[in-house]
Amino acid sequence: MNAENALRRRLLLAATAGLVAGTALPGAAHAAQTRAAALEPDIDSTAAWGARPPAGSISTLQYRPSKIVIHHTVSANTTDFSRAQAHAHAHWVQNLHMDKNGWVDTGYNFLVSRGGWITEGRHGSLRTLTGGTTFVLGSHTSGQNNSAIGIANEGSYHDGAVPPGAQWDVLVLLCAYVCSKYRIPATQIYGHKDYGDTLCPGVFHSMLPRLREEVAGRM
């Protein structure tokens, strides 16, 4: 991690911490909270991590999504928390989805690494999120892809493992930003297993009430 990237991430998490502290304060602190709620996370685009081109056309839906669905990728619970590892993980997911599943591109819209780095998944997801009025059709949750943004967390959380603090903090921040841009209530954050016979997203599913609460606190 170079000095610039490390500083950007520290400032990002410091803004989050300041937002939590400011919720109990009136006046100027409340104004600062409102500004912080609109903070755009540091998201590495598909170009930044060197994604493969899609194998076909990517569909953009001409309306806002109404929910977020949380996943985990069932990759190794690495202790490499670097940005380079986040990029390597993004490649791993894309290769799995394109070469094994036969999909046009990464199924998820965004991924959060164990080190707290965010990568764009399916091409176009970042551009449409920034615009806030359309979104890219993913391949992450059967029956929900045309209404949900899919966010996947690096790692395997079936067997009692818990997400590192940086991963959790940035997941909260990303969800808050997605909810803010798309006008999604924090109550509309779900887990993959809410919509199918799957263990995904592991322990994140039992943490959904906490996730909704923390996201709401940042909105």
Side-chain angles (χ1 to χ4, degrees):
M1 183 190 308
N2 64 39
E4 179 185 358
N5 292 338
L7 177 60
R8 289 182 71 189
R9 186 165 177 275
R10 285 198 301 273
L11 290 173
L12 191 66
L13 296 179
T16 304
L19 174 58
V20 173
T23 56
L25 299 176
H30 178 72
Q33 177 188 349
T34 302
R35 288 193 297 272
L39 180 69
E40 181 176 358
D42 183 10
I43 303 174
D44 287 346
S45 68
T46 49
W49 61 264
R52 295 161 58 180
S57 61
I58 300 293
S59 298
T60 298
L61 302 176
Q62 299 302 309
Y63 53 87
R64 296 181 180 93
S66 59
K67 62 175 72 78
I68 295 172
V69 179
I70 303 298
H71 303 260
H72 68 159
T73 63
V74 200
S75 56
N77 288 341
T78 178
T79 56
D80 182 349
F81 294 163
S82 68
R83 194 173 206 156
Q85 168 57 28
H87 291 186
H89 174 253
H91 280 288
W92 179 82
V93 172
Q94 186 185 39
N95 291 340
L96 177 69
H97 287 183
M98 292 181 70
D99 299 336
K100 183 176 181 180
N101 294 2
W103 296 345
V104 67
D105 196 2
T106 300
Y108 311 117
N109 297 103
F110 299 98
L111 301 102
V112 180
S113 79
R114 282 173 56 82
W117 299 102
I118 306 169
T119 50
E120 180 183 25
R122 182 155 293 199
H123 284 75
S125 296
L126 179 55
R127 171 183 52 80
T128 52
L129 171 61
T130 302
T133 57
T134 64
F135 74 108
V136 166
L137 179 68
S139 299
H140 54 86
T141 309
S142 180
Q144 303 299 316
N145 294 315
N146 63 354
S147 62
I149 290 289
I151 298 176
N153 295 278
E154 178 188 18
S156 180
Y157 297 100
H158 288 147
D159 300 318
V162 295
Q167 184 174 39
W168 178 261
D169 290 341
V170 172
L171 174 63
V172 172
L173 194 61
L174 175 60
C175 287
Y177 183 68
V178 171
C179 286
S180 177
K181 292 297 290 187
Y182 284 135
R183 306 176 191 173
I184 301 172
T187 54
Q188 300 302 302
I189 300 175
Y190 299 96
H192 188 184
K193 70 184 298 182
D194 287 320
Y195 299 105
D197 184 16
T198 176
L199 295 175
C200 180
V203 74
F204 281 98
H205 197 267
S206 64
M207 299 175 77
L208 286 175
R210 174 184 166 190
L211 180 60
R212 296 180 188 116
E213 181 179 1
E214 292 190 20
V215 169
R218 285 154 177 75
M219 294 174 67

